[in-house]
Amino acid sequence: MKGWLTLLPLFLAGALAAPVELKINLRIGDQPLRFGQTYQTPQGQRYQIEMLKFYLSEVALVRPDGREVRIDGLVLADFRRDGPTQGVSVMKMDVPAGQYRGIRFNVGVPRELNHLDAGTQQMPLGVNSGMYWAWNPGYIFYRLEGLALLPEGNQKWVIHMGTDAFRIPVRLQDLQTRRVQINIPPAGGAITLNLDVARAFQPGPGGAYVDWRQQSLRQLHGLSPETSLLMSVVYYHMQSAFSLAQ
């Protein structure tokens, strides 16, 4: 696991903090993602995943009464072909032991950090992060790259999601029922999330999808008017791509 991270610990006056790790399983549907393995989109296009990097920020655990325990810090999760994809620790935090009804976070860089001078920022930000575009758009929040196995030959494709408009809110919480429960014992533990990477390839309104047969759609990012519509489709599906592991 590379690209990790800075994290400011949480201190709550009068509360005993338990150490907790946030872990992630990469999935394709309900199966573990394996780099180098060939998968197929709903439209029948075959592909492989080569790398995935994304920022996590503004993490908070949600108590049963709706109050939040917020964790300061920003991390860069970095998955590559030579690394693991299951149970990967991406963040460490200290939180009060007890019962929670969920977790929320954003995939992306907070606005107040997204437009600072990257030349003065330290990892996981900065120009050496491999995630920086420029001052105005800021950082790439979610970077997914792979190969499309097309009849005419293999073609590289990328999905680079960024700009403040494409910061992805993830809300895995339920205050109305006990369907979502996270128990943090005094000794601490782990919260494990599944990330279904294949959600990016689900079709949108009118059946629009990322068609790698079109050269212009192999470089998908939110900065281009030509690809911004399909990036909106990817953004919509990514909001539900995370789930709590059972």
Short mmCIF file of all heavy atoms in Angstrom, two decimals, residues 44-103:
data_model
loop_
_atom_site.label_atom_id
_atom_site.label_comp_id
_atom_site.label_asym_id
_atom_site.label_seq_id
_atom_site.Cartn_x
_atom_site.Cartn_y
_atom_site.Cartn_z
N GLY A 44 -20.65 -5.49 -22.74
CA GLY A 44 -19.88 -6.56 -23.36
C GLY A 44 -18.46 -6.20 -23.73
O GLY A 44 -17.79 -7.00 -24.39
N GLN A 45 -17.96 -5.04 -23.30
CA GLN A 45 -16.58 -4.69 -23.59
C GLN A 45 -15.67 -5.26 -22.50
O GLN A 45 -15.95 -5.11 -21.31
CB GLN A 45 -16.42 -3.17 -23.68
CG GLN A 45 -17.19 -2.58 -24.85
CD GLN A 45 -16.87 -1.12 -25.11
OE1 GLN A 45 -16.06 -0.51 -24.42
NE2 GLN A 45 -17.49 -0.55 -26.12
N ARG A 46 -14.59 -5.91 -22.94
CA ARG A 46 -13.69 -6.54 -21.98
C ARG A 46 -12.62 -5.54 -21.54
O ARG A 46 -12.17 -4.71 -22.32
CB ARG A 46 -13.05 -7.77 -22.60
CG ARG A 46 -14.07 -8.86 -22.96
CD ARG A 46 -13.36 -10.13 -23.45
NE ARG A 46 -12.47 -9.86 -24.56
CZ ARG A 46 -11.28 -10.42 -24.70
NH1 ARG A 46 -10.82 -11.25 -23.79
NH2 ARG A 46 -10.55 -10.14 -25.75
N TYR A 47 -12.21 -5.65 -20.27
CA TYR A 47 -11.24 -4.69 -19.73
C TYR A 47 -10.46 -5.30 -18.58
O TYR A 47 -10.85 -6.31 -17.99
CB TYR A 47 -11.96 -3.42 -19.25
CG TYR A 47 -12.84 -3.62 -18.04
CD1 TYR A 47 -12.39 -3.34 -16.75
CD2 TYR A 47 -14.15 -4.10 -18.17
CE1 TYR A 47 -13.19 -3.51 -15.64
CE2 TYR A 47 -14.96 -4.29 -17.07
CZ TYR A 47 -14.48 -3.99 -15.80
OH TYR A 47 -15.29 -4.18 -14.70
N GLN A 48 -9.36 -4.63 -18.26
CA GLN A 48 -8.56 -4.94 -17.08
C GLN A 48 -8.31 -3.65 -16.30
O GLN A 48 -8.29 -2.56 -16.90
CB GLN A 48 -7.22 -5.57 -17.48
CG GLN A 48 -7.35 -6.92 -18.18
CD GLN A 48 -6.02 -7.50 -18.60
OE1 GLN A 48 -4.99 -6.83 -18.52
NE2 GLN A 48 -6.03 -8.75 -19.06
N ILE A 49 -8.14 -3.77 -14.99
CA ILE A 49 -7.82 -2.63 -14.13
C ILE A 49 -6.31 -2.62 -13.87
O ILE A 49 -5.73 -3.66 -13.52
CB ILE A 49 -8.58 -2.71 -12.79
CG1 ILE A 49 -10.09 -2.74 -13.03
CG2 ILE A 49 -8.19 -1.54 -11.89
CD1 ILE A 49 -10.66 -1.49 -13.60
N GLU A 50 -5.68 -1.47 -14.03
CA GLU A 50 -4.23 -1.37 -13.80
C GLU A 50 -3.88 -0.59 -12.54
O GLU A 50 -2.87 -0.87 -11.90
CB GLU A 50 -3.56 -0.71 -15.01
CG GLU A 50 -3.60 -1.57 -16.27
CD GLU A 50 -2.69 -1.02 -17.34
OE1 GLU A 50 -2.64 0.22 -17.50
OE2 GLU A 50 -2.02 -1.83 -18.02
N MET A 51 -4.66 0.40 -12.21
CA MET A 51 -4.38 1.16 -10.98
C MET A 51 -5.59 1.96 -10.55
O MET A 51 -6.47 2.27 -11.36
CB MET A 51 -3.18 2.08 -11.17
CG MET A 51 -3.36 3.18 -12.22
SD MET A 51 -3.92 4.74 -11.50
CE MET A 51 -2.44 5.28 -10.67
N LEU A 52 -5.62 2.27 -9.27
CA LEU A 52 -6.71 3.06 -8.70
C LEU A 52 -6.13 3.88 -7.54
O LEU A 52 -5.48 3.34 -6.65
CB LEU A 52 -7.83 2.15 -8.19
CG LEU A 52 -8.93 2.82 -7.36
CD1 LEU A 52 -9.68 3.87 -8.18
CD2 LEU A 52 -9.91 1.77 -6.82
N LYS A 53 -6.39 5.18 -7.58
CA LYS A 53 -5.99 6.06 -6.49
C LYS A 53 -7.15 7.02 -6.21
O LYS A 53 -7.78 7.51 -7.15
CB LYS A 53 -4.73 6.89 -6.86
CG LYS A 53 -3.52 6.06 -7.20
CD LYS A 53 -2.39 6.92 -7.75
CE LYS A 53 -1.77 7.80 -6.69
NZ LYS A 53 -0.54 8.49 -7.20
N PHE A 54 -7.37 7.29 -4.95
CA PHE A 54 -8.41 8.27 -4.63
C PHE A 54 -8.18 8.85 -3.24
O PHE A 54 -7.59 8.22 -2.37
CB PHE A 54 -9.81 7.67 -4.74
CG PHE A 54 -10.06 6.46 -3.87
CD1 PHE A 54 -10.52 6.58 -2.58
CD2 PHE A 54 -9.81 5.19 -4.37
CE1 PHE A 54 -10.75 5.46 -1.79
CE2 PHE A 54 -10.04 4.06 -3.59
CZ PHE A 54 -10.50 4.20 -2.31
N TYR A 55 -8.67 10.08 -3.09
CA TYR A 55 -8.58 10.76 -1.80
C TYR A 55 -9.82 10.47 -0.97
O TYR A 55 -10.94 10.42 -1.50
CB TYR A 55 -8.47 12.27 -1.98
CG TYR A 55 -7.13 12.76 -2.47
CD1 TYR A 55 -6.96 13.17 -3.78
CD2 TYR A 55 -6.05 12.83 -1.60
CE1 TYR A 55 -5.73 13.62 -4.23
CE2 TYR A 55 -4.81 13.29 -2.04
CZ TYR A 55 -4.65 13.68 -3.35
OH TYR A 55 -3.43 14.13 -3.79
N LEU A 56 -9.62 10.33 0.34
CA LEU A 56 -10.71 10.26 1.30
C LEU A 56 -10.57 11.42 2.26
O LEU A 56 -9.47 11.71 2.75
CB LEU A 56 -10.67 8.95 2.09
CG LEU A 56 -11.11 7.66 1.39
CD1 LEU A 56 -10.96 6.48 2.33
CD2 LEU A 56 -12.55 7.77 0.91
N SER A 57 -11.66 12.09 2.55
CA SER A 57 -11.61 13.24 3.45
C SER A 57 -12.94 13.41 4.17
O SER A 57 -13.95 12.78 3.81
CB SER A 57 -11.28 14.52 2.67
OG SER A 57 -12.29 14.80 1.72
N GLU A 58 -12.93 14.25 5.19
CA GLU A 58 -14.14 14.63 5.95
C GLU A 58 -14.90 13.40 6.44
O GLU A 58 -16.13 13.30 6.30
CB GLU A 58 -15.01 15.54 5.08
CG GLU A 58 -14.27 16.81 4.68
CD GLU A 58 -14.98 17.64 3.63
OE1 GLU A 58 -14.88 17.27 2.43
OE2 GLU A 58 -15.60 18.63 3.99
N VAL A 59 -14.14 12.48 7.01
CA VAL A 59 -14.72 11.24 7.54
C VAL A 59 -15.43 11.54 8.87
O VAL A 59 -14.94 12.33 9.69
CB VAL A 59 -13.62 10.18 7.75
CG1 VAL A 59 -14.20 8.90 8.36
CG2 VAL A 59 -12.91 9.88 6.44
N ALA A 60 -16.56 10.91 9.08
CA ALA A 60 -17.27 11.05 10.36
C ALA A 60 -18.05 9.78 10.65
O ALA A 60 -18.62 9.17 9.73
CB ALA A 60 -18.22 12.24 10.32
N LEU A 61 -18.04 9.37 11.92
CA LEU A 61 -18.92 8.29 12.38
C LEU A 61 -20.18 8.92 12.94
O LEU A 61 -20.13 9.97 13.58
CB LEU A 61 -18.22 7.44 13.43
CG LEU A 61 -16.99 6.65 12.96
CD1 LEU A 61 -16.41 5.84 14.13
CD2 LEU A 61 -17.35 5.73 11.81
N VAL A 62 -21.31 8.26 12.72
CA VAL A 62 -22.61 8.82 13.09
C VAL A 62 -23.16 8.06 14.30
O VAL A 62 -23.34 6.84 14.24
CB VAL A 62 -23.59 8.75 11.92
CG1 VAL A 62 -24.93 9.39 12.30
CG2 VAL A 62 -23.01 9.42 10.68
N ARG A 63 -23.40 8.79 15.37
CA ARG A 63 -23.97 8.18 16.57
C ARG A 63 -25.46 7.91 16.40
O ARG A 63 -26.10 8.47 15.50
CB ARG A 63 -23.75 9.10 17.78
CG ARG A 63 -22.29 9.27 18.21
CD ARG A 63 -22.24 10.14 19.45
NE ARG A 63 -20.88 10.32 19.96
CZ ARG A 63 -20.27 9.46 20.76
NH1 ARG A 63 -20.88 8.36 21.12
NH2 ARG A 63 -19.06 9.71 21.21
N PRO A 64 -26.06 7.06 17.27
CA PRO A 64 -27.50 6.77 17.15
C PRO A 64 -28.39 8.00 17.24
O PRO A 64 -29.48 8.02 16.67
CB PRO A 64 -27.76 5.80 18.30
CG PRO A 64 -26.44 5.11 18.51
CD PRO A 64 -25.41 6.17 18.26
N ASP A 65 -27.94 9.05 17.96
CA ASP A 65 -28.76 10.26 18.06
C ASP A 65 -28.48 11.25 16.94
O ASP A 65 -29.00 12.37 16.95
CB ASP A 65 -28.56 10.93 19.42
CG ASP A 65 -27.12 11.36 19.65
OD1 ASP A 65 -26.29 11.22 18.71
OD2 ASP A 65 -26.81 11.83 20.76
N GLY A 66 -27.67 10.87 15.98
CA GLY A 66 -27.39 11.72 14.83
C GLY A 66 -26.15 12.58 14.97
O GLY A 66 -25.71 13.17 13.99
N ARG A 67 -25.61 12.69 16.19
CA ARG A 67 -24.38 13.47 16.34
C ARG A 67 -23.24 12.76 15.62
O ARG A 67 -23.25 11.53 15.48
CB ARG A 67 -24.04 13.66 17.81
CG ARG A 67 -24.99 14.58 18.56
CD ARG A 67 -24.54 14.72 20.01
NE ARG A 67 -24.53 13.42 20.67
CZ ARG A 67 -23.82 13.15 21.76
NH1 ARG A 67 -23.04 14.07 22.29
NH2 ARG A 67 -23.87 11.94 22.31
N GLU A 68 -22.26 13.52 15.21
CA GLU A 68 -21.16 12.96 14.45
C GLU A 68 -19.86 13.07 15.21
O GLU A 68 -19.60 14.06 15.90
CB GLU A 68 -21.02 13.68 13.10
CG GLU A 68 -22.23 13.49 12.19
CD GLU A 68 -22.04 14.18 10.86
OE1 GLU A 68 -21.12 15.03 10.75
OE2 GLU A 68 -22.81 13.88 9.93
N VAL A 69 -19.04 12.06 15.09
CA VAL A 69 -17.66 12.09 15.55
C VAL A 69 -16.78 12.29 14.32
O VAL A 69 -16.64 11.38 13.49
CB VAL A 69 -17.27 10.79 16.28
CG1 VAL A 69 -15.80 10.81 16.67
CG2 VAL A 69 -18.15 10.60 17.51
N ARG A 70 -16.28 13.47 14.15
CA ARG A 70 -15.54 13.81 12.94
C ARG A 70 -14.05 13.53 13.11
O ARG A 70 -13.48 13.77 14.17
CB ARG A 70 -15.78 15.27 12.59
CG ARG A 70 -17.25 15.58 12.36
CD ARG A 70 -17.49 17.03 12.00
NE ARG A 70 -18.93 17.28 11.83
CZ ARG A 70 -19.45 18.45 11.50
NH1 ARG A 70 -18.63 19.48 11.30
NH2 ARG A 70 -20.75 18.58 11.36
N ILE A 71 -13.47 13.05 12.06
CA ILE A 71 -12.04 12.72 12.04
C ILE A 71 -11.35 13.65 11.05
O ILE A 71 -11.67 13.64 9.86
CB ILE A 71 -11.81 11.25 11.64
CG1 ILE A 71 -12.39 10.31 12.70
CG2 ILE A 71 -10.33 10.96 11.49
CD1 ILE A 71 -13.79 9.87 12.43
N ASP A 72 -10.45 14.46 11.57
CA ASP A 72 -9.70 15.36 10.70
C ASP A 72 -8.68 14.57 9.90
O ASP A 72 -8.19 13.52 10.31
CB ASP A 72 -8.97 16.43 11.52
CG ASP A 72 -9.94 17.37 12.20
OD1 ASP A 72 -11.04 17.59 11.63
OD2 ASP A 72 -9.61 17.88 13.29
N GLY A 73 -8.33 15.10 8.77
CA GLY A 73 -7.26 14.48 7.99
C GLY A 73 -7.68 14.15 6.58
O GLY A 73 -8.87 14.13 6.24
N LEU A 74 -6.69 13.90 5.77
CA LEU A 74 -6.89 13.58 4.36
C LEU A 74 -5.94 12.44 4.01
O LEU A 74 -4.76 12.48 4.38
CB LEU A 74 -6.55 14.82 3.52
CG LEU A 74 -6.50 14.64 2.01
CD1 LEU A 74 -7.91 14.53 1.44
CD2 LEU A 74 -5.77 15.83 1.36
N VAL A 75 -6.44 11.44 3.34
CA VAL A 75 -5.59 10.31 2.97
C VAL A 75 -5.71 10.04 1.47
O VAL A 75 -6.73 10.36 0.85
CB VAL A 75 -5.95 9.03 3.75
CG1 VAL A 75 -5.73 9.24 5.24
CG2 VAL A 75 -7.38 8.60 3.47
N LEU A 76 -4.67 9.44 0.94
CA LEU A 76 -4.66 9.03 -0.47
C LEU A 76 -4.53 7.51 -0.52
O LEU A 76 -3.48 6.95 -0.18
CB LEU A 76 -3.50 9.69 -1.22
CG LEU A 76 -3.33 9.28 -2.69
CD1 LEU A 76 -4.58 9.62 -3.49
CD2 LEU A 76 -2.09 9.97 -3.29
N ALA A 77 -5.61 6.84 -0.91
CA ALA A 77 -5.58 5.39 -1.08
C ALA A 77 -4.98 5.10 -2.45
O ALA A 77 -5.39 5.67 -3.46
CB ALA A 77 -6.99 4.82 -0.98
N ASP A 78 -4.02 4.17 -2.47
CA ASP A 78 -3.25 3.93 -3.70
C ASP A 78 -3.15 2.43 -3.93
O ASP A 78 -2.50 1.71 -3.18
CB ASP A 78 -1.86 4.55 -3.53
CG ASP A 78 -1.05 4.53 -4.83
OD1 ASP A 78 -1.44 3.82 -5.77
OD2 ASP A 78 -0.02 5.22 -4.88
N PHE A 79 -3.83 1.94 -4.97
CA PHE A 79 -3.84 0.51 -5.28
C PHE A 79 -3.16 0.30 -6.64
O PHE A 79 -3.52 0.95 -7.62
CB PHE A 79 -5.28 -0.01 -5.36
CG PHE A 79 -6.05 0.11 -4.08
CD1 PHE A 79 -6.76 1.27 -3.80
CD2 PHE A 79 -6.06 -0.92 -3.16
CE1 PHE A 79 -7.49 1.39 -2.62
CE2 PHE A 79 -6.78 -0.82 -1.98
CZ PHE A 79 -7.49 0.34 -1.71
N ARG A 80 -2.22 -0.63 -6.66
CA ARG A 80 -1.49 -0.90 -7.91
C ARG A 80 -1.37 -2.41 -8.13
O ARG A 80 -1.67 -3.20 -7.24
CB ARG A 80 -0.11 -0.25 -7.85
CG ARG A 80 -0.19 1.28 -7.81
CD ARG A 80 1.18 1.92 -7.64
NE ARG A 80 1.09 3.37 -7.52
CZ ARG A 80 1.15 4.19 -8.55
NH1 ARG A 80 1.32 3.71 -9.76
NH2 ARG A 80 1.06 5.50 -8.38
N ARG A 81 -0.91 -2.74 -9.34
CA ARG A 81 -0.89 -4.15 -9.77
C ARG A 81 -0.10 -5.05 -8.83
O ARG A 81 -0.42 -6.22 -8.68
CB ARG A 81 -0.30 -4.26 -11.18
CG ARG A 81 -1.18 -3.71 -12.28
CD ARG A 81 -0.54 -3.90 -13.63
NE ARG A 81 -0.42 -5.30 -13.98
CZ ARG A 81 -1.29 -5.94 -14.77
NH1 ARG A 81 -2.31 -5.29 -15.28
NH2 ARG A 81 -1.13 -7.20 -15.05
N ASP A 82 0.95 -4.52 -8.22
CA ASP A 82 1.79 -5.36 -7.38
C ASP A 82 1.36 -5.34 -5.91
O ASP A 82 2.07 -5.85 -5.04
CB ASP A 82 3.26 -4.94 -7.48
CG ASP A 82 3.46 -3.47 -7.10
OD1 ASP A 82 2.45 -2.76 -6.94
OD2 ASP A 82 4.62 -3.05 -6.98
N GLY A 83 0.20 -4.76 -5.64
CA GLY A 83 -0.24 -4.66 -4.26
C GLY A 83 -1.54 -5.40 -4.00
O GLY A 83 -2.21 -5.87 -4.92
N PRO A 84 -1.92 -5.50 -2.73
CA PRO A 84 -3.16 -6.20 -2.38
C PRO A 84 -4.39 -5.36 -2.73
O PRO A 84 -4.29 -4.14 -2.90
CB PRO A 84 -3.03 -6.38 -0.87
CG PRO A 84 -2.19 -5.22 -0.43
CD PRO A 84 -1.21 -4.98 -1.55
N THR A 85 -5.52 -6.03 -2.81
CA THR A 85 -6.79 -5.34 -3.10
C THR A 85 -7.86 -5.63 -2.04
O THR A 85 -8.95 -5.08 -2.15
CB THR A 85 -7.33 -5.76 -4.47
OG1 THR A 85 -7.64 -7.17 -4.45
CG2 THR A 85 -6.34 -5.47 -5.58
N GLN A 86 -7.54 -6.49 -1.07
CA GLN A 86 -8.55 -6.87 -0.08
C GLN A 86 -8.05 -6.55 1.33
O GLN A 86 -6.91 -6.85 1.68
CB GLN A 86 -8.87 -8.36 -0.18
CG GLN A 86 -9.30 -8.81 -1.57
CD GLN A 86 -10.53 -8.08 -2.08
OE1 GLN A 86 -11.59 -8.11 -1.45
NE2 GLN A 86 -10.39 -7.40 -3.22
N GLY A 87 -8.95 -5.95 2.12
CA GLY A 87 -8.61 -5.65 3.50
C GLY A 87 -7.46 -4.69 3.64
O GLY A 87 -6.68 -4.76 4.61
N VAL A 88 -7.34 -3.75 2.72
CA VAL A 88 -6.21 -2.82 2.73
C VAL A 88 -6.51 -1.66 3.67
O VAL A 88 -7.52 -0.97 3.54
CB VAL A 88 -5.94 -2.29 1.31
CG1 VAL A 88 -4.81 -1.27 1.33
CG2 VAL A 88 -5.59 -3.45 0.38
N SER A 89 -5.63 -1.44 4.61
CA SER A 89 -5.79 -0.34 5.57
C SER A 89 -5.44 0.98 4.89
O SER A 89 -4.34 1.14 4.37
CB SER A 89 -4.90 -0.57 6.79
OG SER A 89 -5.04 0.50 7.71
N VAL A 90 -6.38 1.92 4.89
CA VAL A 90 -6.15 3.20 4.24
C VAL A 90 -6.16 4.36 5.21
O VAL A 90 -5.79 5.48 4.86
CB VAL A 90 -7.19 3.46 3.12
CG1 VAL A 90 -7.08 2.39 2.03
CG2 VAL A 90 -8.60 3.51 3.68
N MET A 91 -6.60 4.12 6.45
CA MET A 91 -6.71 5.23 7.40
C MET A 91 -6.72 4.69 8.82
O MET A 91 -7.29 3.63 9.06
CB MET A 91 -8.02 6.00 7.13
CG MET A 91 -8.15 7.31 7.83
SD MET A 91 -9.68 8.16 7.28
CE MET A 91 -9.30 9.84 7.73
N LYS A 92 -6.09 5.40 9.71
CA LYS A 92 -6.12 5.06 11.13
C LYS A 92 -6.68 6.25 11.90
O LYS A 92 -6.37 7.39 11.59
CB LYS A 92 -4.73 4.69 11.63
CG LYS A 92 -4.18 3.42 10.99
CD LYS A 92 -2.79 3.08 11.50
CE LYS A 92 -2.26 1.82 10.83
NZ LYS A 92 -0.89 1.48 11.28
N MET A 93 -7.50 5.93 12.89
CA MET A 93 -8.15 7.00 13.64
C MET A 93 -8.35 6.55 15.07
O MET A 93 -8.27 5.36 15.38
CB MET A 93 -9.50 7.33 13.01
CG MET A 93 -10.47 6.17 12.99
SD MET A 93 -11.96 6.44 12.01
CE MET A 93 -11.39 5.92 10.39
N ASP A 94 -8.61 7.50 15.95
CA ASP A 94 -8.98 7.21 17.33
C ASP A 94 -10.36 7.79 17.58
O ASP A 94 -10.57 9.00 17.39
CB ASP A 94 -7.97 7.82 18.31
CG ASP A 94 -6.60 7.17 18.18
OD1 ASP A 94 -6.53 5.94 18.22
OD2 ASP A 94 -5.62 7.92 18.02
N VAL A 95 -11.29 6.94 17.97
CA VAL A 95 -12.67 7.39 18.18
C VAL A 95 -13.18 6.82 19.50
O VAL A 95 -12.68 5.80 19.99
CB VAL A 95 -13.59 6.95 17.03
CG1 VAL A 95 -13.10 7.49 15.70
CG2 VAL A 95 -13.70 5.43 16.98
N PRO A 96 -14.18 7.44 20.11
CA PRO A 96 -14.77 6.88 21.33
C PRO A 96 -15.40 5.51 21.05
O PRO A 96 -16.07 5.32 20.04
CB PRO A 96 -15.84 7.91 21.71
CG PRO A 96 -15.44 9.16 21.02
CD PRO A 96 -14.78 8.73 19.75
N ALA A 97 -15.17 4.57 21.96
CA ALA A 97 -15.80 3.26 21.81
C ALA A 97 -17.32 3.42 21.93
O ALA A 97 -17.83 4.33 22.58
CB ALA A 97 -15.28 2.31 22.88
N GLY A 98 -18.04 2.51 21.28
CA GLY A 98 -19.49 2.56 21.38
C GLY A 98 -20.16 2.12 20.10
O GLY A 98 -19.53 1.57 19.20
N GLN A 99 -21.48 2.34 20.07
CA GLN A 99 -22.28 1.96 18.91
C GLN A 99 -22.48 3.17 17.98
O GLN A 99 -22.74 4.28 18.44
CB GLN A 99 -23.65 1.47 19.36
CG GLN A 99 -23.61 0.16 20.14
CD GLN A 99 -23.36 -1.04 19.24
OE1 GLN A 99 -23.65 -1.00 18.04
NE2 GLN A 99 -22.81 -2.11 19.80
N TYR A 100 -22.38 2.89 16.69
CA TYR A 100 -22.60 3.93 15.68
C TYR A 100 -23.61 3.40 14.65
O TYR A 100 -23.75 2.20 14.45
CB TYR A 100 -21.29 4.32 15.00
CG TYR A 100 -20.30 4.97 15.95
CD1 TYR A 100 -19.40 4.19 16.69
CD2 TYR A 100 -20.28 6.34 16.12
CE1 TYR A 100 -18.51 4.78 17.57
CE2 TYR A 100 -19.38 6.94 16.99
CZ TYR A 100 -18.50 6.16 17.71
OH TYR A 100 -17.62 6.74 18.59
N ARG A 101 -24.25 4.34 14.00
CA ARG A 101 -25.25 3.98 12.99
C ARG A 101 -24.75 4.26 11.58
O ARG A 101 -25.57 4.34 10.66
CB ARG A 101 -26.54 4.75 13.25
CG ARG A 101 -27.26 4.31 14.51
CD ARG A 101 -27.85 2.91 14.36
NE ARG A 101 -28.46 2.45 15.60
CZ ARG A 101 -29.65 2.79 16.00
NH1 ARG A 101 -30.40 3.59 15.25
NH2 ARG A 101 -30.13 2.35 17.14
N GLY A 102 -23.47 4.41 11.44
CA GLY A 102 -22.96 4.55 10.09
C GLY A 102 -21.71 5.40 10.01
O GLY A 102 -21.17 5.87 11.02
N ILE A 103 -21.27 5.58 8.78
CA ILE A 103 -20.07 6.36 8.51
C ILE A 103 -20.34 7.18 7.24
O ILE A 103 -21.06 6.73 6.34
CB ILE A 103 -18.84 5.44 8.33
CG1 ILE A 103 -17.56 6.26 8.11
CG2 ILE A 103 -19.05 4.44 7.21
CD1 ILE A 103 -16.29 5.41 8.11
#
